[in-house]
Amino acid sequence: MSVTPVPLGRELLPKLVTTLREGYGLAALRADAIAGLTVAIVALPLAMALAIASGTTPDKGLVTAVVAGFLISLLGGSRVQIGGPTGAFVVVVVGVINQHGYDGLVLATLMAGLILVAAALLRLGQWIKYIPEPVVTGFTSGIAVIIFSSQVKDLLGLSMGAVPAEFIEKWPAFWEARDSMGVAALVGLGSLALILGLRRWAPKVPGFLVAVVLGSVAAFALGLDVETIGSRFGGIPDHLPMPTLPVITLERLQTLLPAALTIAFLAGVESLLSAVVADGMTGRRHRPNAELLAQGVANTASALVGGLPATGAIARTVTNIRSGARSPVSGMLHAAFLLLFMLAFSGLASYVPLAVLAAVLVVVAWNMSDAGRFLHQLRAAPISDRVVLMTTFVLTIAIDLTVAIEVGVVLAALLFMHRMSETVEVSDGGEQPGLALGLPAGAALYRIDGPMFFGAARKLLDVLDRTGGAPRVLILDMGGVPMLDATGADALSTLVARADKRGAHVVMAGVQRQPMGVLRGLGHRHRKGAVVFAGDVARAKAEAAHLLDKGPAGSTGGSPAGGAD
């Protein structure tokens, strides 16, 4: 049964258009406005904190949340997705800025946006879901550990020089500076306790914003000597920057391509994971390629105004849903409210202590780590998945996120192929009473179960070595082979050639559509002599009896008996 492909235009259609076509009234607008305001209150301190953790200024995070957040909701394939800067990008952004400067990050983000647009046009959205879960869990947990480590200095107010870039070197440096903790530690740890307490006993209260406001008021009223946004960054602009292009040269494009691919990959994976979570909570279905297109346009626009990479934010999306969001309008209003806050209250942001924002990021890191899932996979997953999980986690922390993803995906693929090859069985059908019934003397029957790909081809080549007295007809029951690749087909060809040299015929029974297509493409469907096709095992036995009467394989021509198509 064939499935009619969905037109590309429909796959890229924004969910906003769909919801407006369904009808959109004042009740829905009111619900979206409340949800958008709630999410904006959560996103305001978060955007600034993530920007600071990324090694840049807090206004970059706000600009990203406004511009990219608006476009992700406007063009996206999810009804309730909230976009903006996220913790997943912190490690990548820090690395790119350290190596290529902020202008290099802008160019890498611009390239990533164009890559995501191309991925959407090529309909690659549905393929991202095949990224192995242990890889995703491993690198997100690793990023969470890195984010937490990057905030220890500000959280505790440690007086020390530049924090070492390498993770392993950070903690000895923190330990050596432990006696320098000052009043900032009280502000940071007090804010952390307040956020956690509100989450425990008043979950509907926006803990991040309350901690930022109270921490700032306390530090200012008591005259505490703590570092603030104003003392480190000089405040926040009260306007959006004009679009500008970064310096573009062929050499820079080549140098920044790996970073751009990593940003595009993270944006695609995180946004689609967030959309899947939203689907589970709302009972809706997102359009993956429309979501990729929105991410591409949003990241391109963010780069043009000097912003950070952006993607779908799971925590903010969940907040949006729980606040009663009805449509993408809530996400667009969330961006509008953030812009309003930026224009009206940018001066007050200068008084926010960095220790408070560090407390916010510590909570973000804990949420991002998803410790429960990490520990569950470590305990209950198959050993191969645990190896992938720990390898990706350790490489993310110790070496590089890009290396961790590449190694994790390749390792997961190799281990998966090994597991699949172990599921392939080549059994002696002649020893099974049902299949052995009616088997002519001089014929042997083997049943193959499982996909025949390059990882399992060796088992097929062992068949003739297991046939003992070299039968004159070898029947292969392939009814249990759903898939055949070129290596598996080559193994079949080798088996047929070996049989031919022994003067034996090979009868392939019950070949399914996909394997038959591969064999036909390689010229086996109409081959004369040593190989014959039969529709099922019963007809294969009849064909075997007929071939035994004719003699060796090279003496007569064989024709297909029964259609396997």
Side-chain angles (χ1 to χ4, degrees):
M1 179 179 177
S2 61
V3 179
T4 303
V6 179
L8 180 61
R10 184 177 175 185
E11 288 192 22
L12 301 180
L13 184 70
K15 279 290 184 175
L16 177 64
V17 175
T18 302
T19 55
L20 294 179
R21 285 176 177 174
E22 294 172 353
Y24 191 81
L26 288 177
L29 178 60
R30 187 183 303 110
D32 283 337
I34 294 173
L37 178 60
T38 303
V39 177
I41 291 172
V42 173
L44 179 64
L46 201 53
M48 294 189 294
L50 287 169
I52 294 173
S54 300
T56 183
T57 55
D59 59 293
K60 303 297 186 186
L62 291 174
V63 167
T64 304
V66 171
V67 175
F70 182 85
L71 291 172
I72 286 171
S73 295
L74 175 69
L75 302 174
S78 172
R79 290 175 183 259
V80 289
Q81 181 87 284
I82 298 294
T86 68
F89 287 119
V90 168
V91 178
V92 178
V93 171
V94 170
V96 175
I97 291 177
N98 288 341
Q99 293 183 33
H100 308 285
Y102 193 79
D103 191 65
L105 172 69
V106 171
L107 180 55
T109 306
L110 180 64
M111 295 167 63
L114 298 177
I115 291 171
L116 285 166
V117 170
L121 296 177
L122 292 173
R123 304 187 183 195
L124 299 182
Q126 54 266 43
W127 290 95
I128 292 181
K129 64 185 178 184
Y130 296 116
I131 301 298
E133 180 68 20
V135 174
V136 176
T137 303
F139 78 70
T140 52
S141 297
I143 291 171
V145 172
I146 294 175
I147 292 175
F148 171 74
S149 302
S150 70
Q151 298 306 303
V152 171
K153 177 186 176 182
D154 287 339
L155 180 70
L156 302 179
L158 299 178
S159 297
M160 56 188 295
V163 178
E166 298 298 327
F167 174 80
I168 298 176
E169 298 174 0
K170 279 184 170 69
W171 289 95
F174 292 148
W175 181 251
E176 290 179 5
R178 65 189 183 280
D179 294 333
S180 65
M181 280 193 302
V183 68
L186 296 177
V187 176
L189 295 175
S191 300
L192 180 59
L194 177 60
I195 295 171
L196 297 177
L198 289 174
R199 287 198 164 199
R200 175 66 176 84
W201 290 291
K204 293 186 178 181
V205 176
F208 288 162
L209 186 64
V210 170
V212 167
V213 172
L214 293 183
S216 303
V217 170
F220 178 78
L222 298 176
L224 302 179
D225 184 19
V226 295
E227 194 172 14
T228 65
I229 287 178
S231 64
R232 181 181 292 186
F233 303 107
I236 294 177
D238 59 355
H239 60 276
L240 291 176
M242 293 297 294
T244 56
L245 278 174
V247 177
I248 302 176
T249 65
L250 180 59
E251 181 181 359
R252 297 191 82 206
L253 293 175
Q254 293 174 337
T255 302
L256 290 166
L257 181 60
L261 290 171
T262 301
I263 292 172
F265 173 82
L266 286 177
V269 169
E270 288 289 315
S271 65
L272 294 182
L273 283 176
S274 180
V276 168
V277 171
D279 288 350
M281 296 180 67
T282 63
R284 301 284 189 172
R285 291 183 61 187
H286 72 283
R287 297 187 182 113
N289 291 310
E291 192 61 33
L292 283 188
L293 179 63
Q295 299 296 330
V297 173
N299 276 278
T300 302
S302 179
L304 292 177
V305 294
L308 301 170
T311 185
I314 295 177
R316 276 161 275 173
T317 298
V318 171
T319 301
N320 189 40
I321 296 170
R322 290 176 176 170
S323 300
R326 303 277 188 88
S327 75
V329 173
S330 64
M332 297 161 63
L333 290 175
H334 130 270
F337 284 126
L338 281 176
L339 178 59
L340 180 62
F341 295 156
M342 184 177 176
L343 298 178
F345 305 115
S346 58
L348 297 177
S350 299
Y351 298 98
V352 177
L354 296 181
V356 177
L357 293 181
V360 169
L361 282 175
V362 167
V363 177
V364 170
W366 172 254
N367 293 338
M368 187 175 180
S369 70
D370 203 352
R373 175 176 297 192
F374 184 92
L375 294 175
H376 175 73
Q377 290 188 13
L378 204 56
R379 288 193 307 264
I383 184 65
S384 57
D385 287 346
R386 280 180 271 174
V387 170
V388 173
L389 173 68
M390 289 306 301
T391 300
T392 309
F393 176 73
V394 171
L395 289 178
T396 299
I397 294 174
I399 300 180
D400 178 72
L401 176 63
T402 305
V403 172
I405 293 173
E406 291 172 350
V407 172
V409 170
V410 171
L411 182 59
L414 291 174
L415 291 173
F416 171 77
M417 287 184 288
H418 173 71
R419 290 200 305 268
M420 290 298 293
S421 67
E422 292 298 311
T423 66
V424 178
E425 296 183 0
V426 182
S427 56
D428 186 351
E431 297 177 357
Q432 303 178 35
L435 291 178
L437 187 65
L439 186 66
L445 189 155
Y446 282 84
R447 177 173 175 81
I448 306 173
D449 288 293
M452 283 303 305
F453 65 109
F454 62 90
R458 181 69 250 173
K459 291 186 178 181
L460 185 60
L461 293 178
D462 292 337
V463 169
L464 279 184
D465 297 331
R466 296 163 53 185
T467 55
R472 293 169 54 197
V473 177
L474 179 63
I475 300 175
L476 297 180
D477 179 6
M478 297 181 63
V481 180
M483 187 276 290
L484 178 72
D485 72 355
T487 308
D490 184 68
L492 282 172
S493 297
T494 302
L495 184 144
V496 170
R498 290 182 182 178
D500 198 16
K501 288 182 180 179
R502 297 185 183 187
H505 294 273
V506 175
V507 181
M508 299 183 190
V511 182
Q512 297 186 36
R513 183 179 298 275
Q514 191 276 340
M516 180 58 78
V518 174
L519 293 171
R520 183 188 296 117
L522 295 177
H524 287 289
R525 180 65 180 89
H526 300 293
R527 180 170 175 170
K528 303 293 185 181
V531 63
V532 174
F533 291 87
D536 52 38
V537 174
R539 280 183 277 185
K541 293 174 182 177
E543 183 65 28
H546 177 68
L547 292 171
L548 288 168
D549 291 338
K550 287 187 175 182
S555 62
T556 63
S559 61
D565 296 333

